[in-house]
Amino acid sequence: MNFELNEDQIAFQQSARDFAERELAPHAAEWDAESIFPLDTIRKSGDMGFLGLYTPEAYGGLGLSRLDSAIVFEELAAGCTSTAAYLTIHNMVSWMIASFGGKPLAEQWVPKMVTGEVLGSYCLTEPGAGSDAASLKTRAEKKGEVYVLNGGKMFISGAGSTQVLVVMARTGGPGPKGISAFVVPADAPGVSYGKKEKKMGWNSQPTRAITFDNVEIPVENRLGEEGQGFAFAMKGLDGGRINIATCAVGTAQAALNAAQRYVQERQQFGHPLAELQTVQFRLADMLTELVAARQMVRLAAWKLDNASADASAYCAMAKRLATDLSFNIANNALQLFGGYGYLQDFPLERHVRDLRVHQILEGTNEVMRMIVARKLLQDGALETLR
């Protein structure tokens, strides 16, 4: 096992770090305070390849591994958690269309998504089907050469500002086998958007509900065959969980860096805070937890890249561990800042707010525990998890 990054990975990491420091970090507080979706910056990230990291090269993407992509997303999140998280969602949508759509459909959408001309949203969650995604009610009825889509989605990142939607809808009976996936133009007749949600964090990307009222979708816009949509959605979420976890790690790293600088500069009782043993112990625990989270995420990404039978369980473990630990690291960093950490003049309160949702989305951490426990209790599962 070699835990060192190779030359290509170091180059990807440095380019992402430079972009984050130049284009994201200086504006993150403003985007958060004014709820600005930085479209120009997002499209600029397309010039760097960040909108198609693991999208196949045949459609203009970089075709990177999930591990390489995680390294990039971590650096971007250190600049702006919320914007980097949207980039991961866009990457997931682009990858799904390229991987599961027919060639004409992929050629229609994916090259434009890689450049940022077209941005995407992932539409799975519904008001009555959050953690229980297989119970979704949105329906697509086949009528001749089109499907007619009716229903609604909620908590959709980018909704109202994106141009293409990947929508999971029911084409058959109850349960996961009755779900199919579709590519829907965001401005198709019958698509409407709810109000922009006011959120605790993730304010640099809009979140809205979407309603589908007799929206006609060509049969060619279906991803794969009928009934494969839920499986596609779960494959997307395996990668999505790595993405969200690595964004959490990047934010935790930024919080730890800020705390390290602060305790060395801040004087109390005639000495820098860094000379206090209690502060040193806290920093040591924060760093240890950060390294553990990062390595867990990279292990899960490696499992996914190698199509391991237990990859989904590892993705769930990584998401649960990394998001919980990262939130705690940022919260401890805020504590080290004292009252200053609570002020918007410093980034710590934003890090804490942005990180809180990482423990909820892409499957709550309680659901992650369910996934891991089920794998653990299956016959033979203990061997694959050793």
Side-chain angles (χ1 to χ4, degrees):
M1 292 179 286
N2 183 359
F3 294 97
E4 294 294 329
L5 301 186
N6 61 41
E7 290 184 5
D8 287 342
Q9 290 169 333
I10 292 172
F12 295 143
Q13 183 185 57
Q14 189 60 54
S15 66
R17 184 176 298 169
D18 291 344
F19 184 86
E21 292 176 352
R22 184 178 66 251
E23 303 290 348
L24 300 180
H27 311 290
E30 177 189 2
W31 295 341
D32 172 70
E34 299 184 21
S35 296
I36 295 171
F37 192 34
L39 292 172
D40 289 343
T41 303
I42 290 170
R43 294 192 171 104
K44 190 179 294 185
S45 76
D47 298 336
M48 303 289 295
F50 300 152
L51 295 180
L53 286 173
Y54 50 91
T55 300
E57 292 180 88
Y59 299 110
L62 295 184
L64 299 184
S65 68
R66 296 308 178 92
L67 176 56
D68 292 346
S69 301
I71 292 166
V72 170
F73 287 137
E74 179 183 330
E75 294 298 330
L76 296 177
C80 180
T81 313
S82 175
T83 304
Y86 172 74
L87 296 181
T88 73
I89 294 167
H90 175 86
N91 270 267
M92 179 169 63
V93 173
S94 174
W95 173 80
M96 289 182 71
I97 298 173
S99 300
F100 307 126
K103 186 175 181 180
L105 184 67
E107 289 177 340
Q108 177 186 355
W109 292 104
V110 179
K112 294 179 181 179
M113 298 184 74
V114 168
T115 64
E117 180 181 347
V118 167
L119 300 178
S121 291
Y122 177 82
C123 305
L124 175 64
T125 303
E126 297 184 2
S131 295
D132 184 14
S135 67
L136 63 84
K137 303 287 192 233
T138 297
R139 189 155 195 94
E141 296 283 352
K142 190 176 181 182
K143 295 185 178 180
E145 295 302 309
V146 301
Y147 284 91
V148 180
L149 183 64
N150 283 284
K153 302 290 181 178
M154 70 180 305
F155 299 141
I156 306 304
S157 293
S161 299
T162 55
Q163 290 74 46
V164 64
L165 317 172
V166 167
V167 181
M168 271 53 73
R170 192 165 299 284
T171 53
K177 293 184 179 179
I179 296 171
S180 300
F182 300 91
V183 174
V184 180
D187 60 353
V191 179
S192 60
Y193 299 91
K195 64 178 176 62
K196 186 176 177 180
E197 302 289 358
K198 296 179 180 179
K199 306 189 296 291
M200 175 180 174
W202 268 32
N203 290 320
S204 76
Q205 54 169 292
T207 302
R208 291 183 172 88
I210 305 178
T211 301
F212 304 99
D213 183 10
N214 290 322
V215 179
E216 293 190 358
I217 312 162
V219 171
E220 294 78 13
N221 280 35
R222 187 186 64 220
L223 299 180
E225 302 298 325
E226 280 197 4
Q228 292 185 310
F230 190 78
F232 294 160
M234 294 303 102
K235 287 180 179 179
L237 284 179
D238 277 344
R241 286 163 184 160
I242 291 172
N243 293 344
I244 288 302
T246 199
C247 282
V249 170
T251 307
Q253 181 70 69
L256 178 57
N257 291 347
Q260 176 191 7
R261 292 190 298 268
Y262 183 77
V263 298
Q264 290 176 311
E265 297 169 357
R266 175 71 166 164
Q267 296 275 335
Q268 289 287 275
F269 307 108
H271 299 280
L273 285 177
E275 292 184 5
L276 297 174
Q277 192 175 65
T278 54
V279 171
Q280 294 174 4
F281 284 2
R282 179 168 295 196
L283 288 171
D285 285 345
M286 291 162 68
L287 178 58
T288 303
E289 291 172 357
L290 178 64
V291 172
R294 176 180 291 120
Q295 296 306 325
M296 185 74 217
V297 171
R298 292 182 181 179
L299 172 59
W302 182 89
K303 287 276 187 178
L304 194 59
D305 285 330
N306 287 275
S308 299
D310 49 11
S312 291
Y314 273 89
C315 291
M317 285 190 285
K319 192 268 183 183
R320 201 290 299 168
L321 184 73
T323 58
D324 281 349
L325 291 182
S326 295
F327 178 80
N328 291 340
I329 291 165
N331 198 38
N332 277 316
L334 189 154
Q335 188 72 19
L336 287 172
F337 269 71
Y340 291 109
Y342 205 64
L343 302 180
Q344 291 182 357
D345 296 323
F346 297 88
L348 279 305
E349 59 85 30
R350 173 165 45 85
H351 292 332
V352 170
R353 287 188 290 106
D354 281 342
L355 279 173
R356 185 61 183 86
V357 76
H358 289 233
Q359 296 170 292
I360 297 172
L361 48 76
E362 307 289 35
T364 65
N365 283 2
E366 289 73 21
V367 170
M368 297 304 100
R369 292 179 173 91
M370 288 170 53
I371 292 170
V372 174
R374 287 171 182 169
K375 184 65 176 175
L376 179 67
L377 296 172
Q378 288 175 2
D379 290 342
L382 286 174
E383 287 302 313
T384 65
L385 289 169
R386 287 176 66 178

